[in-house]
Amino acid sequence: MVARTDRFLSQSLSRIQPSATLAVSDKARTLIATGRDVIGLGAGEPDFDTPAHIKQAAIEAISKGATKYTNVDGIAELKQAICAKFKRDNELAYDPAQCLVATGGKFVIYNALMATLNPGDEVIIPAPYWVSYVDIVNLAGGTPICIETRQQDNFKLQAEQLEAAITDKTKWFIFNSPSNPTGAAYQAAELQKLTNILAKHPQVWVLSDDMYEHLTYDDFVFTTPAQIEPQLYERTLTMNGVSKAYAMTGWRIGYCAGPIELINAMRKLQSQSTSNPSSISQWAAVAALNGTHDFIAEHNKIFKARRDLVVDLLNAIEGIECTQPEGAFYVYPSCAAMMGKTTPDGKTLQTDEDFVTALLEAEGVAVVHGAAFGLSPFFRISYATSTEALQEACTRLHRFCDSLQ
């Protein structure tokens, strides 16, 4: 007799879903393994290699035997580099005791929300949102309050929307600029309107996800909430990482800085979960933050060219509408005009998930449906891949859309 495992599983597990972006990448890899010609545009991962000086720092760490446990919240050298980064880039002053290093940016968010949320606490999240925000809030027992942004506003939350969503139960506001999945980035004046609202509600804490800080285009100047509004400094957790700008996704290093009481709580939680991040990755991150950043501008020049190419090619497809983002390496086009149409094999497209599934089956192009990010009918394309692959993918997408009746 086979035992039923479901009766042994935690009830909290039912509150979350597997990551949709990782699922798309996994499905694309599975199809490729069977011999299918698939272009994967689902992963949020730069196609550039980690810069040589960062890899060399890791090699030297191994050679010197820096392969043991470290402090739970990170080595002193990395926390000093983080403080220097926040001062240099964001005009924010932190002590090392106010910093924490985690196994990726996702675990910074996990630590913060698990350490602070109680049943009934509300977390305001602009939609579309990065897929893990809502699930982590749910897992922590909080209530996600998702506010749908509008394409005509370039997917940016408006101050009146934020004001209307805040209640006496609101504990956190999660802010992400530049955004995953839209690439929307807030100008200082736009951000000031939001921080003006937050300053009036002292019970609301701010989690600023700045992971795409350095990936901006067209002379955009990045700012972060605690920088714009000093009143928010004592209730803002500013987080970042080395994954995107430094092409270090697999190294799994995220970091944050904030009020010491919050950092202490997160450190306590981390001591009973992952413990310290990889010692070798930490030394690589020191080299990343303290070393040359010249390669970022070089990468951004390529990303900008890809963005412009993809936006132009998508808007040339009848029924697809794509805004031009200011940052990150995603576009979030609308497929609303495709809803209700029928594929050549007789399937009616009723949702954006139907659309991306049919696209993958017919043309071998893997993208992520908008419902995974909380706003439909859209889909996300990552242009962090070669120009040739993007051109071919858009050609296939165009052919697929033209085939719909």
Side-chain angles (χ1 to χ4, degrees):
M1 182 175 179
V2 178
R4 287 184 57 190
T5 57
D6 57 342
R7 64 184 60 176
F8 295 101
L9 298 179
S10 167
Q11 293 181 0
S12 63
L13 197 62
S14 66
R15 299 199 293 265
I16 64 173
Q17 299 295 324
S19 169
T21 52
L22 296 180
V24 168
S25 299
D26 289 345
K27 186 172 183 178
R29 281 191 288 268
T30 299
L31 289 173
I32 291 171
T34 65
R36 281 291 305 275
D37 175 19
V38 175
I39 302 174
L41 303 179
E45 181 172 53
D47 57 323
F48 305 116
D49 193 13
T50 304
H53 71 282
I54 298 174
K55 292 192 290 185
Q56 184 59 39
I59 293 169
E60 291 176 2
I62 294 172
S63 298
K64 294 176 180 178
T67 56
K68 308 297 184 182
Y69 293 132
T70 74
N71 291 344
V72 165
D73 54 351
I75 59 176
E77 291 84 352
L78 180 51
K79 291 202 286 184
Q80 290 166 356
I82 290 165
C83 292
K85 173 261 176 291
F86 279 124
K87 186 67 174 178
R88 177 182 67 239
D89 297 341
N90 311 115
E91 302 172 348
L92 293 173
Y94 292 106
D95 295 323
Q98 294 176 275
C99 301
L100 180 138
V101 185
T103 306
K106 184 179 292 187
F107 212 75
V108 170
I109 299 168
Y110 180 90
N111 280 334
L113 297 180
M114 290 295 291
T116 58
L117 289 180
N118 295 306
D121 289 341
E122 295 178 349
V123 180
I124 295 175
I125 307 171
Y129 44 71
W130 180 52
V131 293
S132 294
Y133 293 149
V134 165
D135 286 283
I136 296 174
V137 170
N138 284 329
L139 185 62
T143 302
I145 305 297
C146 301
I147 311 175
E148 292 189 358
T149 60
R150 297 177 289 260
Q151 188 175 27
Q152 59 265 37
D153 295 326
N154 292 323
F155 302 108
K156 297 178 186 179
L157 182 69
Q158 303 302 296
E160 60 271 18
Q161 292 179 290
L162 176 60
E163 180 80 84
I166 294 174
T167 72
D168 58 1
K169 296 180 180 179
T170 305
K171 179 167 279 188
W172 283 99
F173 168 57
I174 298 181
F175 179 73
N176 178 214
S177 171
S179 160
N180 176 5
T182 67
Y186 291 69
Q187 301 283 351
E190 295 170 326
L191 180 53
Q192 182 73 71
K193 292 178 181 179
L194 298 181
T195 58
N196 286 346
I197 299 298
L198 294 165
K200 297 190 297 182
H201 297 276
Q203 84 278 13
V204 181
W205 285 57
V206 181
L207 197 166
S208 185
D209 181 349
D210 298 354
M211 189 62 72
Y212 296 89
E213 170 185 4
H214 293 300
L215 301 177
T216 61
Y217 318 110
D218 306 318
D219 300 319
F220 179 88
V221 178
F222 176 85
T223 52
T224 194
Q227 175 185 9
I228 289 289
E229 179 48 73
Q231 290 185 62
L232 297 180
Y233 177 87
E234 291 295 340
R235 50 187 170 102
T236 296
L237 183 71
T238 303
M239 64 148 289
N240 212 312
V242 297
S243 295
K244 312 300 182 178
Y246 300 92
M248 295 175 66
T249 50
W251 299 78
R252 308 309 302 135
I253 293 291
Y255 60 83
C256 63
I260 188 67
E261 296 81 6
L262 174 60
I263 296 297
N264 286 342
M266 294 170 64
R267 183 186 300 111
K268 179 180 179 181
L269 181 62
Q270 185 159 295
S271 75
Q272 295 293 0
S273 53
T274 64
S275 193
N276 66 271
S278 162
S279 60
I280 300 160
S281 296
Q282 289 188 66
W283 283 106
V286 172
L289 294 180
N290 288 343
T292 178
H293 289 70
D294 292 346
F295 61 90
I296 294 179
E298 297 171 6
H299 291 176
N300 283 0
K301 184 177 180 180
I302 296 171
F303 278 141
K304 180 182 182 300
R306 292 173 179 174
R307 178 203 65 175
D308 295 345
L309 171 71
V310 170
V311 169
D312 288 346
L313 291 176
L314 289 173
N315 283 324
I317 302 172
E318 185 176 355
I320 298 294
E321 183 179 352
C322 185
T323 58
Q324 181 167 282
E326 298 97 334
F329 38 65
Y330 310 106
V331 290
Y332 199 68
S334 169
C335 56
M338 303 300 171
M339 298 299 97
K341 291 192 174 185
T342 304
T343 64
D345 59 356
K347 296 177 182 177
T348 301
L349 305 180
Q350 298 179 332
T351 66
D352 48 31
E353 186 170 9
D354 292 341
F355 177 84
V356 303
T357 300
L359 173 63
L360 178 59
E361 292 173 350
E363 293 288 353
V365 176
V367 299
V368 187
H369 58 291
F373 305 103
L375 191 65
S376 297
F378 296 87
F379 59 101
R380 190 193 78 172
I381 286 177
S382 168
Y383 53 85
T385 190
S386 72
T387 300
E388 293 74 21
L390 292 169
Q391 289 175 321
E392 176 60 21
C394 289
T395 296
R396 296 183 189 186
L397 177 59
H398 201 149
R399 186 166 60 218
F400 171 73
C401 292
D402 286 347
S403 74
L404 301 177
Q405 300 297 318

